Amino acid sequence: MTSLPRFLDALIFRHRQVVLVLFALATAFFAWQASHLAVDTAYEKQLPQEHPYMKTFLQYQKEFGGANRVVVALSVKKGDIYTPEFFTKLKQVTDEVFFIPGVDRASVTSLFTPNVRFIEIVEDGFSGGNVIPAEFKATPDWLNVVRGNVLKSGQVGRLVAEDFTAALVSIQLLDRDPSTGAKLNYMDVAKKLEAIRGKYADDAVDIHIIGFAKAMGDVADGTVGVIGFFGVAFVITAILVYVYGRSFRMTAVLLALSVVTVIWQLGLLVLMGLAMDPMSILVPFLVFAIAISHGVQNVGTITQEIGKGADAFSAARISFQRLLVPGASALVADAIAFLTIRIVKIQMIQELALSASVGMVIIVITHLMILPVALSFLTLGDSYRRRVSGQVDRFDAVWKVFTVFARPKGAIPALMIGLAVFAWAHHESGRRVIGDAEAGVPELWPDSRYNKDADFIAAHFAIGVDIIQVIAEAPANGCIDYNVASQVDDFAWQMRNVDGVQSTLSLPQVMKTVNMGWNEGNLNWRVLPRNSQVLVRAVSPVETSTGLLNADCSVMPIMIFTKDHRAETIDRVVKAVETYNRVHGTGAKDPNTGKGGAIHFRLATGNVGVMAATNQAVTTAETPMLLWVYGTVLVFCAITFRSVVGTIATVLPLIVVSVLCDALMAELKIGLKTSTLPVTALGVGIGVDYGLYIFNRLQSYLKHGLGFAEAYYKTLQETGSSILFTALTLAVGVATWSFSALKFQANMGELLTFVFIANMLGAIILLPAIAATLYRLFPRLFESEVKRAQKRTFAAH
């Protein structure tokens, strides 16, 4: 044992009563802090603020709206919408939505709002007005008037379903409640929206609601089930830990300290001014799982030592001395690995990474220091010693089978199979997407109310909540320049023909309709006039409140409504925009005329624009993040082992499991996004824990002169059962998540079950196979590493 662990051993165990009292006081303090933890679903936390798209988003957010849109659609179950009952409800829903705190009231759009107008040509010229006049009464005569106005307004497919069975209300949400100045409470907004559904939906009319706020509300409702499954996992863990340790008191101490670890983590989040996001609700469980992993190592070591004749105090000190260095190295490597996720410049991911890293550091205190001290106070007498006396050799037959991987006859086939699996996984992982792999909200099941509502709106309207706005920037008064207006129109036409685009809306589209109106509604005149004065006439009825132009007509957003927000859909649209801008935008030259483009098409606003920026931010950061993760693990393995072979043998299985995890994500159609990024770091974290514990003990036997296979057999006797037990316990616990009401939790359960089992198999099969092969190929390396280990041991004593 080196000087620092020896010093800490003497200090902590000499004053163990004081240590536990101080720990209890700290726990009470952090528990009080954790009680003030808030849930924060702020939309801006999900924005990659430094991405170029977000600069466009923030620049034009106030003028043309943000990406935080909610759509409320009312549909009839029989007939069409032109009944007094339906319009009465549409008016009531519009009014109630208008007064929800945090709604940008200027953005509320419905057949009943004054920003929805129609224009028509009459004998005396133009006539127009609100689609639903102020004097409207829900009578058959007035409903016929409204029916005509809807057709004239061009709102069929937008505010009114193409089959006239539904109408919608669209709103934008602000980041803060304007009445209080506080951050908008999305859970409260979701509850109010659901209350509107409950109040007005009946046997005749159904209500469908989609948007970020409603999705987060549904996810938050599902987190109640998450907590329930945590309880199930806790009970399963308790039963299995007792079966392993054969002591109720030891089990209680381990589980209590694992819960305390989470309490410390949550308390520290409050001290750091952070809140819990519904999408990061699984992080505390990940911390709990890794805490259990390290705690079981202590339980296993103490149990074995007591079985050999030691008392609880001596066994606890042996456990502390043996596990502190490899355990602390693993946890610090885990912490840094999680911190590397902060390379993704999105606040939610950065907070998640910090939260997980803090948890890893806390485990060093709670499970490598406090747990042995707490277990040293247990009075485990002769009866307990008799119960566990066979702990060391109860799996001997199993470990003898596994020692084949420490010999050439087993190592070579294992490596060949591992290489084949890696090659297959690498090929399959190419199908994994960055972003959403399926339509709807992937955190919820396809048959959830939200996803059914999204399907309904997509099927009945040409617009939905999925929109990407491209900002066309031109010289002042660009819309009355034919070259500018026609280019914007051409761009919108090109985008309408991109696979995955449902519809587009742009200023020239409206101008062509107005020009047709000036010419007696003749369809032949549904074109852009070439004369600037005629263009002025075509654009003059279009107000800035439509969101299609700014005051001096130098900015003209093109609204692109997509069928869904799957990664491949977003990718196609973004590439189409970039290609068009590169060929026709500012700086590009027309091959026929030689003139440069006058317009710059800037991506992007709208929720799909945000998703595009987020996906690109994750894509850009993924490779550097993995390099940092594995670089960190390499450094800590090298420092801990001072062995080239040990470092390589520990890291290579982690890489295999990571690539396999990517392949599994592709198979399960789970995209890599902000909510699934931690799985990569977790996989490395769990795996390096197993590897560090195994090779640390393996190295200790090698330096005492044992052959490699015999040293590995002894290692498995000490640590194998703990690793096997930990992996199975955690896997069984998370496997129950498959029954969750949240698809996100079910997917994470499947991934984590695989990660726990695969890392365990990698540690006990591939690690010895790699090390045995390298030592056989380079015998001098084996001799030099063993001699260095012996010298370090001698120097330490």
Side-chain angles (χ1 to χ4, degrees), residues 463-477:
I463 66 173
V465 77
D466 289 330
I467 175 176
I468 180 170
Q469 287 190 124
V470 179
I471 305 297
E473 295 178 331
N477 297 314

Side-chain angles (χ1 to χ4, degrees), residues 646-721:
T647 301
I648 294 173
T650 301
V651 173
L652 286 183
L654 303 182
I655 296 174
V656 173
V657 174
S658 289
V659 177
L660 275 168
C661 191
D662 287 345
L664 182 62
M665 290 177 72
E667 183 64 28
L668 296 176
K669 295 184 178 180
I670 302 171
L672 184 67
K673 48 190 289 188
T674 55
S675 55
T676 56
L677 258 180
V679 174
T680 301
L682 176 73
V684 175
I686 290 288
V688 76
D689 291 353
Y690 295 159
L692 280 165
Y693 280 124
I694 284 180
F695 200 84
N696 181 263
R697 296 311 302 153
L698 179 61
Q699 198 173 40
S700 70
Y701 284 115
L702 290 175
K703 69 188 177 186
H704 285 98
L706 295 181
F708 189 83
E710 187 181 358
Y712 185 57
Y713 175 66
K714 292 284 188 183
T715 298
L716 289 179
Q717 280 188 313
E718 283 192 12
T719 65
S721 57

Side-chain angles (χ1 to χ4, degrees), residues 214-224 278-279 441 443-444 742 744:
K214 189 65 181 75
M216 286 299 99
D218 288 359
V219 170
D221 290 341
T223 58
V224 176
M279 300 309 297
V441 174
E443 287 76 20
L444 303 170
L742 280 181
F744 167 66

Side-chain angles (χ1 to χ4, degrees), residues 11 14 22 66 140 178 211 270 313 388 423 442 446 451 469 475 497 520 587 657 736 741 792:
L11 178 67
R14 189 179 301 157
L22 292 175
V270 175
F313 179 77
V388 300
N451 283 333
Q469 287 190 124
N497 288 282
E520 300 179 351
V657 174
T736 61
R792 289 199 304 272

Side-chain angles (χ1 to χ4, degrees), residues 298-418:
N298 270 291
V299 169
T301 302
I302 291 172
T303 300
Q304 289 175 357
E305 294 303 318
I306 291 176
K308 293 176 183 177
D311 58 26
F313 179 77
S314 301
R317 291 194 68 172
I318 292 171
S319 178
F320 179 89
Q321 296 164 12
R322 184 179 295 171
L323 302 179
L324 180 62
V325 172
S329 297
L331 287 165
V332 173
D334 291 349
I336 297 176
F338 276 114
L339 278 178
T340 59
I341 304 176
R342 288 177 64 84
I343 201 171
V344 182
K345 302 299 182 182
I346 299 174
Q347 185 182 347
M348 189 189 87
I349 294 181
Q350 293 182 326
E351 290 183 3
L352 181 150
L354 183 60
S355 171
S357 297
V358 165
M360 298 304 102
V361 175
I362 293 170
I363 295 171
V364 174
I365 298 171
T366 56
H367 285 67
L368 297 183
M369 296 181 181
I370 301 300
L371 180 59
V373 171
L375 294 178
S376 72
F377 283 98
L378 297 182
T379 54
L380 302 169
D382 292 336
S383 61
Y384 179 75
R385 182 174 290 107
R386 285 192 295 272
R387 287 205 306 272
V388 300
S389 59
Q391 289 282 80
V392 174
D393 56 6
R394 62 176 171 169
F395 291 116
D396 278 5
V398 177
W399 304 142
K400 283 178 181 176
V401 172
F402 277 98
T403 56
V404 70
F405 300 114
R407 297 186 174 92
K409 66 177 183 179
I412 301 301
L415 291 179
M416 296 301 292
I417 293 172

Side-chain angles (χ1 to χ4, degrees), residues 420-652:
V421 168
F422 175 81
W424 173 83
H426 185 267
H427 177 267
E428 290 298 306
S429 65
R431 297 190 295 112
R432 188 210 61 186
V433 300
I434 294 180
D436 289 329
E438 297 181 295
V441 174
E443 287 76 20
L444 303 170
W445 291 103
D447 61 352
S448 67
R449 180 62 197 257
Y450 183 95
N451 283 333
K452 283 184 175 179
D453 286 349
D455 289 343
F456 176 89
I457 291 172
H460 289 77
F461 295 87
I463 66 173
V465 77
D466 289 330
I467 175 176
I468 180 170
Q469 287 190 124
V470 179
I471 305 297
E473 295 178 331
N477 297 314
C479 58
I480 59 173
D481 181 330
Y482 174 77
N483 290 328
V484 170
S486 63
Q487 192 174 350
V488 173
D489 189 44
D490 179 64
F491 173 80
W493 181 84
Q494 296 274 7
M495 294 306 109
R496 276 198 298 279
N497 288 282
V498 175
D499 185 23
V501 171
Q502 195 161 10
S503 67
T504 63
L505 180 61
S506 65
L507 179 61
Q509 288 173 252
V510 177
M511 291 169 65
K512 288 192 289 185
T513 301
V514 173
N515 189 56
M516 179 180 69
W518 277 106
N519 291 277
E520 300 179 351
N522 191 321
L523 286 173
N524 291 326
W525 287 96
R526 196 177 184 278
V527 294
L528 285 173
R530 292 179 176 270
N531 184 285
S532 292
Q533 291 180 339
V534 181
L535 282 172
V536 170
R537 187 177 67 177
V539 79
S540 58
V542 186
E543 300 176 358
T544 56
S545 62
T546 61
L548 296 175
L549 74 167
N550 66 346
D552 66 354
C553 213
S554 62
V555 177
M556 292 161 278
I558 298 93
M559 303 177 189
I560 304 171
F561 296 94
T562 60
K563 293 178 180 177
D564 53 58
H565 52 254
R566 291 182 301 158
E568 58 179 330
T569 302
I570 296 174
D571 227 24
R572 278 196 301 269
V573 174
V574 168
K575 284 179 180 176
V577 173
E578 290 175 341
T579 300
Y580 189 94
N581 196 41
R582 186 170 57 253
V583 176
H584 303 290
T586 304
K589 288 190 176 181
D590 188 297
N592 299 318
T593 65
K595 294 182 179 180
I599 304 178
H600 181 51
F601 295 94
R602 284 181 62 183
L603 288 160
T605 69
N607 72 308
V608 173
V610 171
M611 290 177 186
T614 303
N615 293 350
Q616 289 184 18
V618 172
T619 302
T620 302
E622 183 186 17
T623 299
M625 182 189 76
L626 288 175
L627 290 175
W628 275 106
V629 167
Y630 288 115
T632 300
V633 172
L634 278 168
V635 169
F636 274 89
C637 287
I639 293 172
T640 304
F641 303 141
R642 300 186 192 179
S643 163
V644 174
V645 171
T647 301
I648 294 173
T650 301
V651 173
L652 286 183

Side-chain angles (χ1 to χ4, degrees), residues 126-203:
F126 267 108
S127 175
N130 296 344
V131 168
I132 298 182
E135 62 272 25
F136 170 80
K137 304 291 183 186
T139 63
D141 289 341
W142 271 111
L143 288 173
N144 283 330
V145 171
V146 171
R147 186 193 298 267
N149 291 348
V150 167
L151 294 173
K152 297 168 193 171
S153 69
Q155 291 297 338
V156 176
R158 301 189 183 283
L159 289 180
V160 176
E162 293 169 343
D163 59 359
F164 302 103
T165 59
L168 59 77
V169 183
S170 174
I171 62 175
Q172 290 277 355
L173 295 177
L174 302 169
D175 294 333
R176 294 183 177 273
D177 186 337
S179 61
T180 63
K183 278 187 177 181
L184 187 61
N185 186 331
Y186 288 91
M187 302 300 100
D188 186 53
V189 171
K191 287 178 182 176
K192 285 181 167 55
L193 289 169
E194 196 57 46
I196 291 173
R197 192 203 314 261
K199 184 175 180 180
Y200 294 105
D202 55 27
D203 294 338

